[in-house]
Amino acid sequence: MKINDITVGAVTDVDLDGYTALVTMELQNDVDLPDDAVARLRQTSLLGEKFVSLSAPADGGSGELGDGDVIPLDRTGRNPEVEE
């Protein structure tokens, strides 16, 4: 996982709920994100490795992301794949 292209944690588990991935992440203790953070699946280059990019929402956000918090599907996204 990265924030502003800096590694801040790791994906520890991936489960499926139908066609939706449920991703469990572990962040470093000093990561400061609002509890309404946004997660996007990105790639380092056209054919590079994939990673989760985390950011605050455009309005700056509220609260603080903590243990057990969930980023819902409507605040996630991905880049198009080469095949698309």
Side-chain angles (χ1 to χ4, degrees), residues 33-34 36-40 53-58 71 75-77:
L33 279 173
D36 53 353
V38 177
R40 303 249 185 260
S53 175
L54 298 171
S55 62
I71 299 175
R75 288 200 321 266
T76 65

Side-chain angles (χ1 to χ4, degrees), residues 21-54:
L22 302 174
V23 178
T24 303
M25 302 178 286
E26 193 171 276
L27 298 173
Q28 297 171 352
N29 289 333
D30 60 349
V31 172
D32 190 22
L33 279 173
D35 62 2
D36 53 353
V38 177
R40 303 249 185 260
L41 190 59
R42 297 186 52 208
Q43 283 182 267
T44 56
S45 65
L46 187 60
L47 299 174
E49 80 174 336
K50 294 181 182 178
F51 65 93
V52 177
S53 175
L54 298 171

